Amino acid sequence: MKERIRYIFSIIVTFLAITASAQQSVEELFQKGNDCGEKEQYVEAVGYWTQAAQMGYTQAQCVLGVCYMEGIGVSQNIDQALYWLTQAANQNDADAQCRLAEYYLWRAGGKYNEERGLEWLHKSAELEYGMALCYVG
């Protein structure tokens, strides 16, 4: 019985160590992207942010969505922008939620969808995101 407990404990400790290492790694990737962005090395920044976004890092997903929306470091691709912003928004990223609301409600050439836009706007406002609060009054 003691051997089984030790074995289970070692699995848990290993899992926690791997998880902590991966979390640190994803944060480092995001920061490397930010560092490149500050130097206006946007193509390289997008590479780091893409890696972090694919690992589920919410902030990277939002930033990557903005890059695709505006064509920063990548060719503008609205479908990719909406994909990454939605990934972040679904993880309660208020900035991504507000950006989706702006897109669906007001962006020229956007896929106007009042219901979807208002839904994202209210979710963002519920998280007390400043811009969303301004919009809802």
Side-chain angles (χ1 to χ4, degrees):
M1 181 68 161
K2 286 183 181 181
E3 287 179 30
R4 183 178 170 107
I5 292 173
R6 282 188 198 144
Y7 175 72
I8 292 171
F9 182 74
S10 70
I11 290 174
I12 293 170
V13 169
T14 302
F15 174 76
L16 292 174
I18 290 170
T19 303
S21 174
Q23 185 64 28
Q24 183 178 15
S25 175
V26 72
E27 290 173 358
E28 288 174 356
L29 287 169
F30 182 70
Q31 187 55 52
K32 286 180 181 179
N34 289 346
D35 293 343
C36 290
E38 288 176 8
K39 298 174 191 170
E40 298 183 10
Q41 299 169 338
Y42 299 119
V43 173
E44 190 173 348
V46 166
Y48 287 117
W49 290 327
T50 299
Q51 290 177 60
Q54 290 171 338
M55 295 170 74
Y57 197 67
T58 308
Q59 289 175 288
Q61 292 170 337
C62 183
V63 170
L64 190 58
V66 171
C67 288
Y68 277 109
M69 185 70 70
E70 304 300 330
I72 300 170
V74 292
S75 296
Q76 187 178 41
N77 184 322
I78 300 302
D79 290 334
Q80 281 294 303
L82 295 175
Y83 172 80
W84 287 114
L85 288 172
T86 302
Q87 293 297 306
N90 284 334
Q91 294 184 70
N92 291 322
D93 184 289
D95 184 18
Q97 291 170 341
C98 190
R99 288 177 186 275
L100 285 170
E102 290 170 340
Y103 175 78
Y104 287 118
L105 293 172
W106 303 300
R107 186 168 175 102
K111 299 175 184 175
Y112 181 78
N113 185 325
E114 184 175 7
E115 183 179 340
R116 186 177 283 173
L118 290 174
E119 178 184 338
W120 285 123
L121 185 61
H122 288 287
K123 285 183 179 187
S124 182
E126 286 172 8
L127 294 172
E128 299 184 11
Y129 187 70
M131 185 61 72
L133 291 172
C134 289
Y135 288 145
V136 297

Short mmCIF file of all heavy atoms in Angstrom, two decimals, residues 1-37:
data_model
loop_
_atom_site.label_atom_id
_atom_site.label_comp_id
_atom_site.label_asym_id
_atom_site.label_seq_id
_atom_site.Cartn_x
_atom_site.Cartn_y
_atom_site.Cartn_z
N MET A 1 0.82 -1.20 0.00
CA MET A 1 0.00 0.00 0.00
C MET A 1 0.86 1.26 0.00
O MET A 1 0.57 2.20 -0.71
CB MET A 1 -0.94 -0.05 1.22
CG MET A 1 -1.85 1.12 1.31
SD MET A 1 -3.04 1.07 -0.04
CE MET A 1 -4.27 2.12 0.55
N LYS A 2 1.94 1.25 0.81
CA LYS A 2 2.82 2.41 0.87
C LYS A 2 3.48 2.66 -0.49
O LYS A 2 3.66 3.80 -0.90
CB LYS A 2 3.89 2.25 1.94
CG LYS A 2 3.37 2.41 3.34
CD LYS A 2 4.49 2.30 4.34
CE LYS A 2 3.96 2.43 5.75
NZ LYS A 2 5.02 2.36 6.75
N GLU A 3 3.84 1.57 -1.17
CA GLU A 3 4.47 1.72 -2.48
C GLU A 3 3.51 2.35 -3.47
O GLU A 3 3.90 3.18 -4.28
CB GLU A 3 4.94 0.35 -3.00
CG GLU A 3 6.17 -0.17 -2.28
CD GLU A 3 6.60 -1.52 -2.79
OE1 GLU A 3 6.37 -1.81 -3.99
OE2 GLU A 3 7.15 -2.27 -2.00
N ARG A 4 2.26 1.96 -3.41
CA ARG A 4 1.25 2.53 -4.30
C ARG A 4 1.07 4.02 -4.03
O ARG A 4 0.97 4.82 -4.96
CB ARG A 4 -0.06 1.77 -4.13
CG ARG A 4 -1.14 2.24 -5.08
CD ARG A 4 -2.40 1.40 -4.88
NE ARG A 4 -3.49 1.99 -5.60
CZ ARG A 4 -4.00 1.50 -6.72
NH1 ARG A 4 -3.52 0.40 -7.22
NH2 ARG A 4 -5.01 2.09 -7.30
N ILE A 5 1.02 4.41 -2.77
CA ILE A 5 0.88 5.81 -2.40
C ILE A 5 2.09 6.60 -2.88
O ILE A 5 1.95 7.70 -3.44
CB ILE A 5 0.67 5.97 -0.87
CG1 ILE A 5 -0.69 5.39 -0.48
CG2 ILE A 5 0.79 7.43 -0.45
CD1 ILE A 5 -0.94 5.33 1.00
N ARG A 6 3.29 6.07 -2.70
CA ARG A 6 4.50 6.74 -3.18
C ARG A 6 4.46 6.90 -4.69
O ARG A 6 4.84 7.93 -5.23
CB ARG A 6 5.75 5.95 -2.78
CG ARG A 6 6.14 6.14 -1.35
CD ARG A 6 7.48 5.48 -1.08
NE ARG A 6 7.61 5.31 0.35
CZ ARG A 6 8.20 4.31 0.95
NH1 ARG A 6 8.75 3.36 0.23
NH2 ARG A 6 8.25 4.24 2.26
N TYR A 7 4.00 5.86 -5.37
CA TYR A 7 3.92 5.91 -6.83
C TYR A 7 2.94 7.00 -7.28
O TYR A 7 3.25 7.81 -8.15
CB TYR A 7 3.49 4.54 -7.38
CG TYR A 7 3.28 4.53 -8.86
CD1 TYR A 7 4.37 4.60 -9.74
CD2 TYR A 7 2.00 4.46 -9.40
CE1 TYR A 7 4.18 4.60 -11.10
CE2 TYR A 7 1.81 4.47 -10.78
CZ TYR A 7 2.90 4.54 -11.62
OH TYR A 7 2.71 4.54 -12.97
N ILE A 8 1.77 7.02 -6.68
CA ILE A 8 0.77 8.04 -7.02
C ILE A 8 1.30 9.43 -6.68
O ILE A 8 1.15 10.36 -7.47
CB ILE A 8 -0.57 7.76 -6.29
CG1 ILE A 8 -1.19 6.48 -6.86
CG2 ILE A 8 -1.52 8.94 -6.43
CD1 ILE A 8 -2.39 5.99 -6.09
N PHE A 9 1.93 9.56 -5.54
CA PHE A 9 2.51 10.84 -5.15
C PHE A 9 3.57 11.29 -6.16
O PHE A 9 3.61 12.46 -6.54
CB PHE A 9 3.11 10.74 -3.74
CG PHE A 9 3.68 12.04 -3.25
CD1 PHE A 9 2.84 13.07 -2.85
CD2 PHE A 9 5.05 12.24 -3.19
CE1 PHE A 9 3.36 14.27 -2.41
CE2 PHE A 9 5.58 13.43 -2.75
CZ PHE A 9 4.73 14.46 -2.36
N SER A 10 4.42 10.38 -6.61
CA SER A 10 5.46 10.75 -7.58
C SER A 10 4.85 11.18 -8.90
O SER A 10 5.35 12.10 -9.55
CB SER A 10 6.45 9.60 -7.79
OG SER A 10 5.85 8.53 -8.49
N ILE A 11 3.75 10.55 -9.30
CA ILE A 11 3.06 10.97 -10.53
C ILE A 11 2.51 12.38 -10.37
O ILE A 11 2.64 13.22 -11.26
CB ILE A 11 1.93 9.97 -10.89
CG1 ILE A 11 2.55 8.65 -11.35
CG2 ILE A 11 1.02 10.55 -11.97
CD1 ILE A 11 1.53 7.56 -11.58
N ILE A 12 1.90 12.66 -9.24
CA ILE A 12 1.34 13.99 -8.98
C ILE A 12 2.44 15.04 -8.98
O ILE A 12 2.31 16.10 -9.61
CB ILE A 12 0.54 14.01 -7.66
CG1 ILE A 12 -0.71 13.14 -7.80
CG2 ILE A 12 0.18 15.43 -7.25
CD1 ILE A 12 -1.45 12.89 -6.51
N VAL A 13 3.54 14.77 -8.30
CA VAL A 13 4.66 15.72 -8.24
C VAL A 13 5.22 15.96 -9.65
O VAL A 13 5.49 17.10 -10.04
CB VAL A 13 5.76 15.23 -7.28
CG1 VAL A 13 7.02 16.05 -7.42
CG2 VAL A 13 5.25 15.26 -5.85
N THR A 14 5.38 14.91 -10.43
CA THR A 14 5.88 15.05 -11.79
C THR A 14 4.93 15.89 -12.63
O THR A 14 5.35 16.79 -13.36
CB THR A 14 6.08 13.67 -12.44
OG1 THR A 14 6.99 12.92 -11.64
CG2 THR A 14 6.59 13.78 -13.86
N PHE A 15 3.64 15.61 -12.53
CA PHE A 15 2.64 16.37 -13.27
C PHE A 15 2.69 17.85 -12.90
O PHE A 15 2.67 18.72 -13.77
CB PHE A 15 1.24 15.82 -13.01
CG PHE A 15 0.15 16.64 -13.61
CD1 PHE A 15 -0.11 16.59 -14.96
CD2 PHE A 15 -0.61 17.50 -12.81
CE1 PHE A 15 -1.11 17.37 -15.53
CE2 PHE A 15 -1.61 18.28 -13.37
CZ PHE A 15 -1.86 18.21 -14.73
N LEU A 16 2.77 18.15 -11.62
CA LEU A 16 2.83 19.54 -11.17
C LEU A 16 4.09 20.24 -11.68
O LEU A 16 4.05 21.40 -12.08
CB LEU A 16 2.73 19.63 -9.65
CG LEU A 16 1.38 19.23 -9.05
CD1 LEU A 16 1.47 19.23 -7.52
CD2 LEU A 16 0.29 20.15 -9.53
N ALA A 17 5.20 19.54 -11.68
CA ALA A 17 6.45 20.12 -12.17
C ALA A 17 6.36 20.41 -13.66
O ALA A 17 6.80 21.47 -14.12
CB ALA A 17 7.62 19.18 -11.88
N ILE A 18 5.80 19.49 -14.42
CA ILE A 18 5.65 19.70 -15.87
C ILE A 18 4.70 20.85 -16.14
O ILE A 18 4.97 21.70 -16.99
CB ILE A 18 5.16 18.40 -16.55
CG1 ILE A 18 6.26 17.36 -16.53
CG2 ILE A 18 4.70 18.67 -17.98
CD1 ILE A 18 5.82 15.97 -16.95
N THR A 19 3.60 20.90 -15.41
CA THR A 19 2.63 21.98 -15.58
C THR A 19 3.25 23.33 -15.25
O THR A 19 3.09 24.30 -15.99
CB THR A 19 1.39 21.75 -14.69
OG1 THR A 19 0.83 20.48 -15.01
CG2 THR A 19 0.35 22.83 -14.89
N ALA A 20 4.00 23.43 -14.16
CA ALA A 20 4.66 24.69 -13.78
C ALA A 20 5.68 25.09 -14.83
O ALA A 20 5.78 26.25 -15.21
CB ALA A 20 5.32 24.54 -12.42
N SER A 21 6.42 24.12 -15.35
CA SER A 21 7.42 24.40 -16.39
C SER A 21 6.75 24.91 -17.65
O SER A 21 7.21 25.87 -18.28
CB SER A 21 8.22 23.14 -16.69
OG SER A 21 9.10 23.36 -17.77
N ALA A 22 5.65 24.28 -18.06
CA ALA A 22 4.94 24.71 -19.26
C ALA A 22 4.36 26.10 -19.08
O ALA A 22 4.41 26.92 -19.99
CB ALA A 22 3.83 23.71 -19.60
N GLN A 23 3.82 26.39 -17.89
CA GLN A 23 3.25 27.70 -17.63
C GLN A 23 4.33 28.77 -17.72
O GLN A 23 4.13 29.81 -18.31
CB GLN A 23 2.57 27.73 -16.25
CG GLN A 23 1.84 29.02 -15.96
CD GLN A 23 0.68 29.27 -16.90
OE1 GLN A 23 0.07 28.34 -17.43
NE2 GLN A 23 0.36 30.52 -17.14
N GLN A 24 5.48 28.50 -17.14
CA GLN A 24 6.58 29.45 -17.21
C GLN A 24 7.00 29.63 -18.66
O GLN A 24 7.22 30.73 -19.12
CB GLN A 24 7.75 28.97 -16.37
CG GLN A 24 8.90 29.96 -16.35
CD GLN A 24 10.03 29.47 -15.47
OE1 GLN A 24 10.10 28.31 -15.10
NE2 GLN A 24 10.92 30.36 -15.13
N SER A 25 7.04 28.55 -19.39
CA SER A 25 7.45 28.59 -20.77
C SER A 25 6.50 29.44 -21.62
O SER A 25 6.94 30.25 -22.42
CB SER A 25 7.52 27.16 -21.33
OG SER A 25 7.81 27.18 -22.70
N VAL A 26 5.20 29.27 -21.42
CA VAL A 26 4.23 30.03 -22.21
C VAL A 26 4.31 31.51 -21.87
O VAL A 26 4.22 32.37 -22.74
CB VAL A 26 2.80 29.46 -22.06
CG1 VAL A 26 2.21 29.75 -20.71
CG2 VAL A 26 1.90 29.97 -23.15
N GLU A 27 4.52 31.82 -20.60
CA GLU A 27 4.67 33.22 -20.20
C GLU A 27 5.94 33.81 -20.79
O GLU A 27 5.97 34.98 -21.20
CB GLU A 27 4.65 33.34 -18.69
CG GLU A 27 3.28 33.07 -18.11
CD GLU A 27 3.25 33.01 -16.59
OE1 GLU A 27 4.32 33.14 -15.95
OE2 GLU A 27 2.16 32.80 -16.04
N GLU A 28 7.01 33.03 -20.86
CA GLU A 28 8.26 33.49 -21.46
C GLU A 28 8.07 33.75 -22.95
O GLU A 28 8.59 34.74 -23.48
CB GLU A 28 9.38 32.48 -21.23
CG GLU A 28 9.86 32.43 -19.80
CD GLU A 28 10.86 31.32 -19.54
OE1 GLU A 28 11.14 30.51 -20.44
OE2 GLU A 28 11.36 31.26 -18.40
N LEU A 29 7.34 32.87 -23.63
CA LEU A 29 7.07 33.08 -25.05
C LEU A 29 6.31 34.37 -25.27
O LEU A 29 6.63 35.17 -26.16
CB LEU A 29 6.26 31.90 -25.62
CG LEU A 29 7.01 30.60 -25.83
CD1 LEU A 29 6.03 29.48 -26.14
CD2 LEU A 29 8.04 30.74 -26.94
N PHE A 30 5.29 34.58 -24.44
CA PHE A 30 4.50 35.81 -24.56
C PHE A 30 5.38 37.04 -24.33
O PHE A 30 5.30 38.01 -25.08
CB PHE A 30 3.33 35.79 -23.57
CG PHE A 30 2.45 37.00 -23.66
CD1 PHE A 30 1.65 37.21 -24.76
CD2 PHE A 30 2.44 37.93 -22.64
CE1 PHE A 30 0.83 38.34 -24.85
CE2 PHE A 30 1.63 39.06 -22.71
CZ PHE A 30 0.82 39.25 -23.83
N GLN A 31 6.23 36.99 -23.32
CA GLN A 31 7.10 38.12 -23.02
C GLN A 31 8.10 38.36 -24.15
O GLN A 31 8.40 39.50 -24.49
CB GLN A 31 7.83 37.93 -21.69
CG GLN A 31 8.61 39.16 -21.26
CD GLN A 31 7.75 40.41 -21.18
OE1 GLN A 31 6.70 40.43 -20.55
NE2 GLN A 31 8.19 41.47 -21.85
N LYS A 32 8.63 37.29 -24.73
CA LYS A 32 9.54 37.45 -25.87
C LYS A 32 8.83 38.15 -27.02
O LYS A 32 9.40 39.00 -27.70
CB LYS A 32 10.10 36.10 -26.33
CG LYS A 32 11.14 35.53 -25.40
CD LYS A 32 11.65 34.19 -25.91
CE LYS A 32 12.68 33.60 -24.96
NZ LYS A 32 13.18 32.29 -25.43
N GLY A 33 7.57 37.79 -27.23
CA GLY A 33 6.77 38.46 -28.25
C GLY A 33 6.60 39.94 -27.93
O GLY A 33 6.75 40.79 -28.81
N ASN A 34 6.33 40.25 -26.67
CA ASN A 34 6.20 41.66 -26.27
C ASN A 34 7.50 42.42 -26.48
O ASN A 34 7.50 43.56 -26.94
CB ASN A 34 5.78 41.75 -24.80
CG ASN A 34 4.35 41.32 -24.58
OD1 ASN A 34 3.57 41.18 -25.52
ND2 ASN A 34 3.99 41.08 -23.34
N ASP A 35 8.62 41.77 -26.13
CA ASP A 35 9.92 42.42 -26.31
C ASP A 35 10.16 42.73 -27.79
O ASP A 35 10.63 43.83 -28.13
CB ASP A 35 11.05 41.54 -25.77
CG ASP A 35 11.00 41.37 -24.25
OD1 ASP A 35 10.30 42.16 -23.58
OD2 ASP A 35 11.64 40.42 -23.75
N CYS A 36 9.84 41.79 -28.65
CA CYS A 36 10.00 42.02 -30.10
C CYS A 36 9.05 43.13 -30.56
O CYS A 36 9.43 43.97 -31.38
CB CYS A 36 9.73 40.74 -30.89
SG CYS A 36 11.00 39.48 -30.68
N GLY A 37 7.83 43.12 -30.06
CA GLY A 37 6.86 44.14 -30.43
C GLY A 37 7.32 45.53 -30.05
O GLY A 37 7.13 46.49 -30.81
#
